[in-house]
Structures are given as C-alpha cells and as structure tokens.
Amino acid sequence: MAQAKSAGALVDPAFESSVVAKLRSVLGDSSAMTPLHAPEFSGNEWELVKDCLDSGWVSSVGTYVDRFEREIAALSGAEFGIAVVNGTAALHVALIVAGVQPDDEVIVPTLTFVATANAVRHAGAVPHFVDSSPETLGMDPAALAQHLSTIAERKDGRVINRDTGRPIAAVVPMHTFGHPVDMDPLLALADEWRLPVVEDATESLGSHYKGRPCGGLGAVGTLSFNGNKILTTGGGGAIVTNDPEIARRAKHLTTTAKTPHRWAFLHDEVAYNYRMPNINAALGCAQLSQLGERIARKRHLARQYIEAFDGIDGISAFREPSYARSNYWLNTLLLDTIMIDHRDPLLAALNDANLMCRPVWTLMHRLEMFADCPRAPLKVAENLESRIINVPSSAALGTSGEGVTA
C-alpha cells in the first residue's frame, strides 16, 4: 500500500487502473482517443447552412438569427433573446445593461471558466471572488450572505465594499457543468441587497431549477454555443431577459449602436460589433431541434457513470442537486479528500488510455491577473479544485434511456 502524502492515509496503488477500467465499462474499448466533449451534427445542419449560402444571407442579418433568438429565449423561459458572437461577449454586454460601471465590483465564483472574470474586466469592473457549494459546485448563497454581512454596507443607494471603498454592482452565479445553483436563496439575498443577478448559464442550456429553465432566472442571463457545448453554432452566445428595456439596449449595444435610417450610418454611443452571423444561427436552428434527445442521452450517460462508481472507495460520480434537472454538460468524478494526491497520476493514466479527461479550471484568484482582486474565504472551492476530474461527456456516448433521477 502506498501513502497519500497530503492526507497521511493508505491508498491502493492500483487505484488509477481501477478507475480506467470503470470508465471503460461505460464507454467500451477503443484505440482512438475519446474526446471530452465533441460536437455532433445529425440533423438538417447541411440543409440550413446551404440555404444561407444559396441566398447570400450569411452575415449579421437574416431570418435564421431572428428565429434562433426566439427559440433560445423560449427555451430559457425568457421573453427576449439577443444572439451574439460568443458567450464572453454575451456576459460583457449583460453586465453593462445590468448597470455595472467601471471600477465597480462584481461578485463571481472563483470556481468558474475564465470568461466569467474576463467579462467583468472587459466592462471595466473588478471581479470579487466567492466560494462554492459542494452540493452544486456553483456559488454558495449561504457563504455569500455571510461574506456580505461582513464586508458590505449600504451607502447613498449603493452597496459598498468597506474594505476597498468600491461599489458592488452585480452578482454572477455560474451553473457549473450544467448543474443549477440554488437560485431562490441567492435571488432573495440579491434582492435584499438590491443587486442585479446576471445569470451565467453558458454551460446549462436545457437544465432546470425547480422546474424553471436556467438562463431566465435572473435580471439577465447569458448562454454559450461554443463547439464544446451541448449544442453549437460554431461560435456564438446569447443574452436572454424578460425586461424589454434591457433587451432593447443589449440589441443596440451589440449592433454598433446604429440608429435606424434608410441609408445613413448614424451611431449614438461607443458600442460593439457582437451580432451573431446568420450562417451560425442557421447551424444553431438545426441543432436546437436535437436538444431534447441530446439531454436524454447525456442524462443516461450520467446514470451509467453514477452506477459504475457507486460504492467505489475513494471516488464517486457527481450527481445533480435534488431540486434540479441537469443537462450534465460535463460529467464529473470527485476524489475523496484523502485521495487528492491521485488526481494528477489519475489524469495521466486516463489520458494515456485515450480517455480525454481534465481537471477543473484553475481557480480565478490563483491566476496572476486576478491575484489582487477582493475575495471571500474560498475553502470549499479550493478543496473542489483538488478533487474534480471531468470525464468524456459527448451526447453521442450515451444512448436514449431513462434519465438520472434526483
């Protein structure tokens, strides 16, 4: 038996090979690399993209953009959708239309993809990092409440960080790997402090929180359609909201702030050329018709992982929170804390076995450009960082069947 250096406990030296065997029992044997999350094109993508090419409507104006926006809004439980070039652009503009101003602070999880924090910087604001919940992997409302009670005060109609003197302007929960944050207490807390919630739903298209779709739960939400998402437009994102003024301004800012005129080029503020091209939206419209089946297959794959690792010492498959129905965008294995020294050897063994597996992102407060940003105690996120391994999660790896139950 070998000893885990950080925990001082005995572990099985054959642990890595046993985990590889468990994944193979789900995925089958193959000499080819199994990607972490591959795109899938099994509908009428060719037909709709060819229609764009034949018609010449390939840029930022066209019927597919309008259709895609309507369908994405409906799927998110929102009235309005604005299609943009990627999820980071969606977050950037969503923060602006939510009222974030330069030098404000924005509450974001430290356990997130870098785009969440980058978008805050793009808006001229400062990320303020908070902890995660072990039940959701996303922002912890109770920990945030405790943190705000310690560092925040109301002054002149704004929430001020007493430690920095800067206003706190918004809260950005991110539904990690498609698992919904516990939004009701978070929304209540944000309402108590009069802070808008910008919902980072870039990984959670098709996920539901207490029966309500992710994306439309806050003042404004954002989605991503990158090539590794549950459906793709090649690149792309969207802003969704129920607020007509937020929607109007988001559309204006993402289309260079051009004012209507038959021929003149008149712009009334500095803005962004973020509009999604029609050809990308055509791809998205074809993908949308497959979303329900893909989620069913991904949930079936998640069930297989959960069953394969049930009762295995040292590691388990993460399952959705009890109140949620997740799209299981990325399936996650969680090492027991006593096994954290196995993370990197396990990643090496899995990738050597042609199973593309990855750790969670480096926590935002550990990145050099964000090291000086304000932060809450981050003990849970730091623990999760050492334990998370994402495993192959493409919808094509699953078969239709009964989904995961809470």
Side-chain angles (χ1 to χ4, degrees), residues 186-209:
L186 184 65
L187 290 167
L189 179 66
D191 184 62
E192 177 187 342
W193 286 94
R194 299 294 186 264
L195 293 172
V197 172
V198 176
E199 187 184 355
D200 184 345
T202 50
E203 300 178 358
S204 55
L205 180 67
S207 296
H208 286 74
Y209 172 76

Side-chain angles (χ1 to χ4, degrees), residues 5-6 42 126 176 287 299 309 314 327 342 347 362 379:
K5 291 178 286 186
S6 64
S42 54
V126 178
T176 309
Q287 293 262 295
R299 288 179 59 80
F309 285 91
N327 67 9
H342 278 271
L347 283 165
T362 299
K379 294 173 69 172

Side-chain angles (χ1 to χ4, degrees), residues 133-197:
S133 162
E135 284 74 35
T136 69
L137 309 179
M139 187 178 289
D140 185 337
L144 177 57
Q146 176 61 39
H147 182 57
L148 289 175
S149 71
T150 302
I151 60 96
E153 64 181 357
R154 295 178 180 86
K155 186 177 180 181
D156 299 328
R158 302 204 74 182
V159 179
I160 304 297
N161 181 343
R162 283 193 295 262
D163 295 338
T164 64
R166 288 188 293 256
I168 299 173
V171 179
V172 184
M174 195 277 282
H175 305 302
T176 309
F177 310 140
H179 301 297
V181 169
D182 193 0
M183 290 295 290
D184 282 348
L186 184 65
L187 290 167
L189 179 66
D191 184 62
E192 177 187 342
W193 286 94
R194 299 294 186 264
L195 293 172
V197 172

